[in-house]
Amino acid sequence: MPDLRSTYPEPDIMLTAGPSVMPPEVLFAGKSRYHYDPAFLELFGQTEAMAAQVMGTSGEVVILQGEAMLGLEAAARSLVSPGMPVLNLVSGIFGQGMSEWLRLFGADVHELRVSYREAVSPAAVEEYLDEHRDTRLVCAVHCETPSATVQDVAAIGRICRERGVLTLVDSVSAAGGMPLKVDESGLDVVVAGPQKCLGAPPGLAPVAVSSRVWDVIDANPAAPHPSSYLSLTAWRDQWHGKGLFPYTPSVTLMGSFHEALRQVLDEGVANRIARTQETARICRAGVKAMGLELWPASEDIAASCVTAVRVPVAYDADVVRGYLRHHYGVMASSGQGALPVIRLAHMGAVTRPDLIAALALLGQALADLGAEIDIGAGPAAVTAAMSAGRPKSLRGAL
Ligand SMILES: *Cc1c(COP(=O)(O)O)cnc(C)c1O
């Protein structure tokens, strides 16, 4: 068997948009435990409570024991019944995937669709709902990670709540790095992801469920049966109701997620979000200074958890990304086979010095392949943005 370490040396820098870089304490917290050890029961409860705090809800959070896609599928299946009129907002790959699921589950699917460089405006949602008063559910993706765009789910949530329409929001990549206030925005079901901004491993799906939604799920004959892996009510009735797990939870992942959330709350959710927003802002400044283009049509809708850089038309994005990893040790994300972009994430334990090096090396990779790039201008723009507002003499600076 070939030795993986010599074929693929570890990247020196990882700026991937999930799984993201984990702080070492998060990794070490993932030890084995007996799931009915009282210490683990307490850890599980604390993890739910901390996830709720990060998501801005005082309602129930269920942590399904599978990747975030499990939470999204469980949520959609729990809410949708055959023939139900549903509006799905499609501005990227994850929104498109939700449409396919909704059709599979028998919903009467309607879409508001824009190009994958744009976001659906809340005004368009409002207009649609006023014209289609039978709509029962609106599905939205908070941050379309592959295209690094953001949708205004706070405004969309309020519009839907005012009209008695339910909402299902995919906030997998935004939670913990972009503003998310489930209760204040009147959102009903929101799925977060541990492996993006929260800097934990993939494999868990925290789902916030508003109290009014439980009645809808209980009344839905098409919702997953309590014996199904996709059942949300099993967790409510067995774990929240009786302190019993429906099946053995992923104890190692829960340990890591607990530590990751503790770190986020230690920093403060608002501080973490502000730091992520600032990192994204200075990254965009660096990208533009190098003469490269951002993928989102406007910076107003540019996500703060990840930046998508448009690869110049003459180049294949995956070739550039492979070159960057192989020759310069920088692991960046792709456009998921669909978009001509390289993505630099501002998630988990990624630091600004990592970003500076990655930008310079991305510029060098493109230059090696023949593109006209002002390599130094990118890192210079980033360091200048970092320096702004900082003391300019040593006196009193420390
Ligand atoms: C990462 C992510 C998911 C989970 O999808 P995977 O491809 O399995 O990681 C879902 N929605 C969004 C918006 C994401 O960024």
Side-chain angles (χ1 to χ4, degrees), residues 181-240:
K181 297 201 163 124
V182 171
D183 290 356
E184 199 181 299
S185 307
L187 301 172
D188 288 301
V189 181
V190 181
V191 182
Q195 78 276 28
K196 307 281 169 87
C197 288
L198 299 170
L204 296 170
V207 186
V209 186
S210 77
S211 51
R212 67 176 188 158
V213 155
W214 286 120
D215 297 337
V216 175
I217 299 174
D218 286 329
N220 180 10
H225 186 269
S227 63
S228 164
Y229 208 72
L230 290 155
S231 172
L232 291 167
T233 51
W235 283 86
R236 177 196 60 187
D237 297 341
Q238 293 181 47
W239 167 239
H240 292 170

Side-chain angles (χ1 to χ4, degrees), residues 17 67-69 72 94 141 143-145 170 172-173 195-196 336:
E67 209 273 335
M69 298 306 283
L72 290 167
F94 285 100
V141 179
C143 167
E144 266 293 355
T145 330
D170 172 351
V172 172
S173 61
Q195 78 276 28
K196 307 281 169 87
Q336 303 226 336

Side-chain angles (χ1 to χ4, degrees), residues 126-218:
E126 189 165 17
E127 192 182 324
Y128 178 91
L129 292 179
D130 287 341
E131 282 170 12
H132 301 83
R133 292 184 182 270
D134 59 341
T135 307
R136 300 262 308 281
L137 170 69
V138 170
C139 300
V141 179
H142 190 175
C143 167
E144 266 293 355
T145 330
S147 27
T149 54
V150 62
Q151 220 136 224
D152 188 351
V153 292
I156 291 166
R158 279 190 291 273
I159 289 164
C160 292
R161 187 54 74 101
E162 279 164 18
R163 288 160 179 79
V165 177
L166 299 171
T167 45
L168 164 52
V169 173
D170 172 351
S171 191
V172 172
S173 61
M178 294 165 60
L180 170 65
K181 297 201 163 124
V182 171
D183 290 356
E184 199 181 299
S185 307
L187 301 172
D188 288 301
V189 181
V190 181
V191 182
Q195 78 276 28
K196 307 281 169 87
C197 288
L198 299 170
L204 296 170
V207 186
V209 186
S210 77
S211 51
R212 67 176 188 158
V213 155
W214 286 120
D215 297 337
V216 175
I217 299 174
D218 286 329

